[in-house]
Amino acid sequence: MAVIKFDTPIQFIKGVGPKLGERFKDLGLFTVQDLLDWYPRAYEDRRAARSIASLKPDELVSLRAEVVNVKSFMLGRSRRKVYDLTVRDETGKIHCKFFRVPYKGYFERFQPLQKVRVIGKVTHYRGQIEFHHPDVQDDTPDLVVDDDVVIPIYPETEGLTNRQLRKLIGFVLDELKASSRELDPRAKGFVPMDRLPAWLKDKYELVDRFQALEKVHRPPKDATKDFTDLKSPYHRRLIFEEFFWLELWLASRKEGVAREPGLPFEKRTDMVTKLRASLPFELTGAQLRTFEEILKDLTGHTPPHPMHRLVQGDVGSGKTLVALMAALVAIENGYQATLMVPTEILAEQHFRTAEKLLSPLGVQVGLFTGSLKSSERAQAQSLLAQGAIQLAVGTHALIEDAVGFKNLGLVIIDEQHRFGVHQRARLKEKGVSPHFLVMTATPIPRTLAMTVYGDLDVSQIDELPKGRSPIQTRAGYESHRPKMIEFVRTHLNAGRQAYFVYPLVEESEKIDLKNAMTEFETLKKQFPEFELGLLHGRMKPDEKEHVMREFRDGRFQILVATTVIEVGVDVPNANVMVIEHAERFGLSQLHQLRGRVGRGSHKSFCLLMMGHAVSDEARTRLKVMEETTDGFVISERDLEIRGPGEFLGTRQSGLPGFKLANIVRDARILQESRDAALEVFRRDSRLSAAEHKWLRLQLLDKHGPASLAGIG
Ligand code: ADP
Ligand code: MG
């Protein structure tokens, strides 16, 4: 049999064959290298078998138990099916809950009295402890293959048992060790399994990669708690590397951008000066600083290269104005600028703001949305192509093929997390190396920003305009409703306006949530002396815009809405936000919604109304909302509560999944890996040194030739 190498296909390993090989392929594992990178996600420590009665919340534990039964039921009224596997030992019972089925037939495996091992994190839920999505495995006698006491636990997979994986990986490790050829750098066709340069391993105190792999797959008998908590030096080495390859790639892109030829903007700021003079307020220090940073990107480099900057600023921090100032610099240099936003309401709003502020300066602004009439659209497109429209504000309608610019110099994307990578790229492609500015109000914890935005420069508007008092937030139950209604009434009587936000548009699926439509009628009766408007996602764009305009103009006092108002809407006179069924919303959404008030000089309030069945987690969320209005604090807490996977959701799918690394737990290592990646380029900006050969190769392997194009 051939010697096993790192690039040997798994199916050629002795005892595997095509059939089993297929199962590995389903997991995305093709080669020996892939197999070794399939890390255990926990360890079962048999030296300290646990009894159910001794479990405490938040512990990662393993225990042996027997199945009592498996049941499924609907969760609350949400129609989510939950599976509940109950197990017991001599000391007690515990529920293992599953909110999705790991794979087809998973629950059919379990019979009453069956012996199982359960490995998972103990969760505290409504006053009792249980497991959510633990690993549950047959505890058949042959599971114990040797006298190991600390057993690696691999992610649960269909058709591959933990034991099979342990045996196979153990075999591969032995073979690799025996075949000196693989580890001898003088051998022909040698590809090192350890691609990190020596200086980097020294500096960051990283152990040898093979040694790390051996240890994590074959825990030592005297493994410490650090080890089983995935905090050993061996784990650190592998975690570091997972982050490092991502950071190296991001750093290479940053390096590439720094070399790309850009547009020769001059430092022309007459229009900006005029704009500032026309404002009824002073810019905040943070707005000025951010603008200076942008100006430096646009005009301060010889030779010029494209700006690639993210502006992060909490809701209401005044990002729009900074964006318009940047646009003016482009326009004064004779280029066009464009501002893309995620919704029509927001596009309209930005268009109106831009027109109001920029048309006195002689700037022509155009609006591009999907609901333009075809004649309007044709006209706007032709004005844009001729260069008559200098600033194009719009939705993703801007990226349609028919939309062309004469000389696009600056691309601005607002609420950028709402757009996919490709949408952003397509807008950029409408110009030749245009400057690129993205803005977001969704505060992302620093650690996460490093992974998602590692190739961007970041400005933070970390200061709100003067005179804003913090929004006061209270969570309340149904019993508080009469008081809440009176509270709202007091503010309406004082001339203010209020929002009522509901999670659903229509009574669908018999869910008895209060919903915008029926509650609209109820509220009308409760506030007979006031006018109310309704806004929801099923309305046509022009209807929505009409309602928004009337609300902004004060034609009615209460806006009843679904979450369509979540992003960016700006009505300074509105100072009360009531969120119904607040427990149904995530933290960032609550924060965004709350940001619709507190935009003027009036003290503002956010009332979070809770339904009946409120989970501990939801209660924690609402408590966070009561305690702080700082978007960054909120996002950190959100990340803690939900964990990275959930936090990012599907929108941020640009982010790679990590196998072993966890951006919350391993934030320190992430920071180190980023430092290391930046240092690589400081030392050797083209990765041309011999010791960096394998870094180059790694970028090529993982991201293709394009990843090296920028750095030459
Ligand atoms: P966001 O950062 O959430 O996009 P906006 O750009 O919508 O915030 O600004 C929120 C409100 O604050 C707007 O009404 C805007 O005119 C106002 N604003 C912006 N900058 C200042 C400032 N320096 N002083 C006072 N008000 C400001
Ligand atoms: Mg905004």
Side-chain angles (χ1 to χ4, degrees):
M1 211 200 65
V3 179
I4 287 182
K5 294 191 193 174
F6 289 103
D7 57 358
T8 303
I10 293 175
Q11 70 178 75
F12 297 152
I13 303 171
K14 199 174 114 208
V16 177
K19 202 157 151 249
L20 202 53
E22 280 306 310
R23 288 200 197 125
F24 281 103
K25 278 181 198 160
D26 290 344
L27 295 175
L29 308 182
F30 301 93
T31 64
V32 162
Q33 179 72 70
D34 297 337
L35 186 63
L36 292 177
D37 286 339
W38 188 250
Y39 309 121
R41 73 166 180 207
Y43 295 91
E44 180 193 352
D45 190 348
R46 294 200 171 152
R47 298 167 306 185
R50 298 292 300 271
S51 63
I52 291 174
S54 73
L55 301 181
K56 297 202 178 54
D58 295 331
E59 290 181 305
L60 182 66
V61 297
S62 83
L63 51 90
R64 323 181 81 130
E66 73 178 30
V67 173
V68 177
N69 57 28
V70 190
K71 284 188 201 150
S72 66
F73 59 89
M74 294 298 180
L75 181 67
R77 294 163 188 169
S78 72
R79 317 196 106 223
R80 268 222 298 189
K81 199 167 187 183
V82 180
Y83 288 85
D84 179 355
L85 170 73
T86 310
V87 300
R88 74 168 159 228
D89 66 9
E90 312 79 61
T91 68
K93 268 199 270 193
I94 187 163
H95 297 276
C96 305
K97 293 208 181 132
F98 294 81
F99 302 100
R100 52 179 191 274
V101 186
Y103 54 79
K104 206 161 159 271
Y106 183 86
F107 293 103
E108 281 78 52
R109 297 181 351 200
F110 301 115
Q111 312 294 332
L113 299 183
Q114 181 182 345
K115 304 269 186 259
V116 287
R117 291 189 309 149
V118 183
I119 300 101
K121 193 166 160 190
V122 183
T123 306
H124 188 75
Y125 182 74
R126 292 205 204 171
Q128 63 174 2
I129 54 165
E130 55 192 38
F131 288 110
H132 292 174
H133 292 269
D135 279 318
V136 184
Q137 305 183 358
D138 288 351
D139 193 11
T140 46
D142 75 344
L143 191 69
V144 185
V145 284
D146 43 39
D147 61 353
D148 284 351
V149 285
V150 182
I151 312 280
I153 305 297
Y154 294 95
E156 182 80 38
T157 48
E158 183 171 8
L160 273 176
T161 64
N162 203 53
R163 186 186 170 208
Q164 274 174 310
L165 276 164
R166 282 175 55 209
K167 265 182 72 174
L168 188 62
I169 292 174
F171 173 73
V172 164
L173 285 168
D174 286 341
E175 289 288 306
L176 283 173
K177 236 175 142 172
S179 76
S180 54
R181 221 170 68 183
E182 188 57 48
L183 298 174
D184 179 1
R186 286 158 306 185
K188 203 164 145 246
F190 167 77
V191 175
M193 61 114 45
D194 193 339
R195 296 182 173 191
L196 297 180
W199 67 263
L200 194 150
K201 282 187 283 183
D202 270 359
K203 177 157 181 181
Y204 293 91
E205 298 179 342
L206 300 171
V207 304
D208 173 71
R209 181 171 157 81
F210 190 76
Q211 191 193 4
L213 287 172
E214 247 192 321
K215 293 281 195 211
V216 304
H217 287 298
R218 285 180 160 162
K221 290 192 184 2
D222 58 352
T224 59
K225 182 165 171 355
D226 263 4
F227 187 97
T228 53
D229 286 348
L230 314 180
K231 288 180 182 156
S232 74
Y234 313 108
H235 292 94
R236 178 171 170 272
R237 155 75 207 230
L238 299 175
I239 291 166
F240 183 97
E241 205 166 337
E242 267 196 281
F243 286 141
F244 179 75
W245 296 128
L246 174 69
E247 292 301 335
L248 188 73
W249 176 59
L250 291 168
S252 77
R253 297 207 339 186
K254 207 168 164 180
E255 188 65 28
V257 169
R259 303 238 192 98
E260 207 180 296
L263 302 171
F265 279 23
E266 284 171 21
K267 200 165 173 176
R268 300 200 175 124
T269 53
D270 289 351
M271 283 180 149
V272 170
T273 310
K274 285 192 192 126
L275 171 68
R276 284 180 60 186
S278 74
L279 296 172
F281 48 73
E282 292 289 315
L283 296 179
T284 63
Q287 281 173 314
L288 281 173
R289 193 187 61 232
T290 300
F291 177 65
E292 286 303 321
E293 286 166 356
I294 292 170
L295 196 60
K296 184 149 181 263
D297 288 348
L298 295 177
T299 66
H301 298 280
T302 23
H305 63 79
M307 167 168 73
H308 211 56
R309 183 168 290 277
L310 169 76
V311 173
Q312 256 194 302
D314 214 341
V315 282
S317 60
K319 292 184 291 295
T320 314
L321 209 51
V322 174
L324 293 179
M325 284 159 53
L328 284 180
V329 177
I331 291 165
E332 210 174 322
N333 272 282
Y335 287 88
Q336 291 168 299
T338 185
L339 170 59
M340 182 163 78
V341 300
T343 67
E344 298 215 349
I345 292 180
L346 206 53
E348 262 283 327
Q349 181 180 293
H350 280 2
F351 171 68
R352 282 158 25 97
T353 308
E355 268 218 311
K356 195 177 89 199
L357 295 174
L358 306 193
S359 59
L361 307 175
V363 172
Q364 176 98 20
V365 186
L367 177 66
F368 294 81
T369 64
S371 59
L372 290 186
K373 293 198 198 76
S374 60
S375 58
E376 292 170 330
R377 182 180 316 204
Q379 198 195 358
Q381 282 169 1
S382 115
L383 288 173
L384 190 69
Q386 293 158 25
I389 289 178
Q390 293 156 294
L391 172 62
V393 178
T395 58
H396 51 265
L398 281 167
I399 59 181
E400 283 166 19
D401 287 337
V403 177
F405 291 79
K406 180 156 176 260
N407 59 347
L408 179 60
L410 170 64
V411 170
I412 308 168
I413 296 180
D414 193 12
E415 307 296 348
Q416 68 87 32
H417 60 285
R418 293 288 184 117
F419 294 101
V421 183
H422 298 292
Q423 288 174 310
R424 285 179 248 161
R426 273 178 62 191
L427 189 56
K428 231 176 127 176
E429 281 159 16
K430 296 198 180 263
V432 179
S433 290
H435 293 287
F436 188 62
L437 181 67
V438 296
M439 307 197 291
T440 184
T442 300
I444 289 202
R446 246 172 50 78
T447 52
L448 206 52
M450 260 187 268
T451 61
V452 189
Y453 304 126
D455 58 333
L456 296 171
D457 294 306
V458 180
S459 296
Q460 287 195 353
I461 309 190
D462 50 7
E463 181 187 352
L464 293 180
K466 279 196 203 62
R468 303 241 177 107
S469 48
I471 303 161
Q472 201 174 325
T473 303
R474 281 283 164 275
Y477 291 98
E478 267 319 288
S479 57
H480 299 115
R481 184 166 298 276
K483 259 174 97 177
M484 179 272 282
I485 297 285
E486 284 320 302
F487 182 85
V488 174
R489 192 186 310 279
T490 314
H491 286 279
L492 299 184
N493 279 329
R496 301 287 79 74
Q497 289 164 287
Y499 297 97
F500 278 76
V501 177
Y502 297 88
L504 277 184
V505 199
E506 223 168 60
E507 259 181 306
S508 55
E509 301 178 338
K510 300 202 190 75
I511 299 169
D512 75 340
L513 292 175
K514 296 204 182 308
N515 67 70
M517 299 249 213
T518 55
E519 282 316 294
F520 180 59
E521 298 304 322
T522 316
L523 283 173
K524 262 188 180 162
K525 292 190 194 101
Q526 277 168 324
F527 292 100
E529 71 274 44
F530 294 108
E531 299 292 320
L532 289 80
L534 176 65
L535 187 70
H536 60 73
R538 304 264 172 96
M539 287 160 69
K540 295 210 184 72
D542 53 335
E543 293 170 347
K544 282 192 220 166
E545 182 44 38
H546 179 73
V547 172
M548 273 320 296
R549 187 173 305 133
E550 300 236 294
F551 187 57
R552 210 177 287 134
D553 295 347
R555 302 274 171 71
F556 54 87
Q557 289 73 45
I558 296 178
L559 179 62
V560 178
T562 59
T563 51
V564 289
I565 62 151
E566 182 193 335
V567 161
V569 167
D570 186 32
V571 181
N573 189 49
N575 76 328
V576 184
M577 164 65 62
V578 180
I579 303 177
E580 298 279 359
H581 280 286
E583 77 279 3
R584 305 239 148 207
F585 295 95
L587 265 177
S588 72
Q589 214 177 4
L590 289 171
H591 181 64
Q592 281 281 342
L593 286 168
R594 180 168 60 182
R596 298 310 106 220
V597 296
R599 308 194 134 237
S601 53
H602 311 288
K603 176 145 184 61
S604 296
F605 304 88
C606 176
L607 306 171
L608 305 170
M609 301 302 289
M610 289 181 273
H612 294 293
V614 180
S615 69
D616 284 355
E617 190 187 306
R619 232 181 280 272
T620 312
R621 280 202 298 272
L622 301 186
K623 195 138 176 284
V624 173
M625 290 296 291
E626 287 183 325
E627 282 165 2
T628 181
T629 52
D630 183 326
F632 287 93
V633 175
I634 289 175
S635 71
E636 296 282 356
R637 295 284 286 127
D638 200 17
L639 186 57
E640 268 168 38
I641 296 171
R642 289 196 288 165
E646 290 279 313
F647 181 90
L648 290 168
T650 46
R651 284 270 172 188
Q652 294 285 6
S653 50
L655 194 85
F658 296 112
K659 287 184 217 145
L660 193 56
N662 172 317
I663 50 177
V664 178
R665 182 191 65 209
D666 305 320
R668 270 259 300 285
I669 306 178
L670 174 58
Q671 178 68 56
E672 289 170 340
S673 73
R674 177 165 179 72
D675 293 345
L678 293 173
E679 186 172 349
V680 166
F681 283 97
R682 271 202 308 278
R683 286 174 175 239
D684 178 13
S685 68
R686 293 186 185 273
L687 299 187
S688 48
E691 61 180 344
H692 297 145
K693 177 171 151 197
W694 306 115
L695 297 184
R696 220 171 216 287
L697 189 72
Q698 176 79 15
L699 284 177
L700 204 60
D701 275 2
K702 274 210 168 168
H703 304 285
S707 66
L708 292 176
I711 56 173

